[in-house]
């Protein structure tokens, strides 16, 4: 397996070498990288994981990356959803939610998943989402200061 890469900042990333890297590990690393830059972005993120059962047997696992403003935990944005069957990490279904639901299709390999994340993170609509979340956070902060 290749090392987990930080899509937000590709420079100087070299960790988890030789370990089995799962798609949720990769997504979690992106969330951690975003949280590390919260002072600059005023955006936090978190991963929520779900198991979907069919006839009392886990049929699918889903992991969702949510982003939200620093001062507004009640306001969140579902940015990315990935899902796969519980036995295998790949193929992996990827959805992004930037001005609507975009089905990025199935990623059959780790490299395809990285490529898909790169497309999502460089989409110009993401900048709009970040700006809207920052505005919500700033508004909440100004209300708190008035109290």
């Amino acid at each position: 397996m290749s090392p987990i890469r930080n899509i937000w900042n590709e420079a100087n990333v070299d960790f988890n070498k030789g370990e089995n890297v799962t798609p949720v590990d990769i997504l979690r690393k992106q969330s951690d990288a975003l949280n590390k830059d919260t002072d600059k972005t005023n955006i936090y993120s978190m991963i929520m994981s779900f198991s979907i059962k069919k006839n009392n047997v886990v049929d699918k696992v889903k992991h969702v990356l949510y982003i939200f403003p620093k001062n507004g935990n009640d306001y969140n944005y579902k940015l990315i959803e990935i899902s796969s069957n519980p036995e295998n990490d790949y193929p992996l279904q990827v959805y992004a939610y930037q001005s609507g639901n975009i089905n990025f299709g199935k990623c059959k390999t780790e490299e395809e998943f990285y490529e898909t994340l790169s497309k999502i993170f460089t989409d110009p609509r993401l900048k709009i989402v970040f700006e809207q979340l920052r505005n919500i956070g700033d508004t909440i902060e100004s209300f708190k200061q008035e109290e």
Side-chain angles (χ1 to χ4, degrees):
M1 279 293 147
S2 61
I4 295 175
R5 297 186 331 240
N6 175 351
I7 303 300
W8 300 103
N9 180 8
E10 289 278 344
N12 300 320
V13 177
D14 187 22
F15 45 89
N16 291 338
K17 214 171 215 155
E19 293 181 21
N20 184 24
V21 178
T22 67
V24 73
D25 292 334
I26 295 168
L27 199 59
R28 197 170 282 123
K29 180 62 185 170
Q30 306 319 305
S31 177
D32 292 346
L34 185 58
N35 290 338
K36 201 181 270 187
D37 286 338
T38 296
D39 289 339
K40 291 183 234 168
T41 64
N42 285 329
I43 303 291
Y44 281 109
S45 66
M46 71 175 186
I47 306 284
M48 291 186 72
S49 298
F50 308 91
S51 296
I52 298 168
K53 291 185 176 182
K54 194 178 209 179
N55 298 326
N56 286 332
V57 176
V58 175
D59 181 53
K60 190 180 283 190
V61 289
K62 288 188 178 190
H63 307 282
V64 181
L65 172 63
Y66 288 96
I67 56 176
F68 48 96
K70 184 176 179 180
N71 299 312
N73 295 355
D74 293 339
Y75 296 90
N76 63 59
Y77 188 86
K78 183 179 187 178
L79 180 61
I80 298 171
E81 178 181 304
I82 61 174
S83 63
S84 65
N85 67 46
E87 294 85 29
N88 301 307
D89 292 329
Y90 297 96
L92 176 72
Q93 188 70 41
V94 181
Y95 293 93
Y97 299 86
Q98 297 160 316
S99 304
N101 179 355
I102 301 169
N103 182 350
F104 276 86
K106 291 192 179 198
C107 296
K108 296 177 186 144
T109 66
E110 182 179 315
E111 192 55 38
E112 284 181 17
F113 185 43
Y114 275 119
E115 290 170 12
T116 300
L117 288 177
S118 292
K119 289 176 190 173
I120 294 168
F121 293 155
T122 58
D123 187 312
R125 293 174 288 187
L126 186 56
K127 191 174 187 178
I128 296 167
V129 170
F130 270 59
E131 191 59 38
Q132 290 171 340
L133 289 174
R134 275 190 221 105
N135 289 340
I136 291 168
D138 291 346
T139 301
I140 291 169
E141 183 62 25
S142 68
F143 284 141
K144 287 179 180 178
Q145 290 175 358
E146 289 176 9
E147 291 179 346

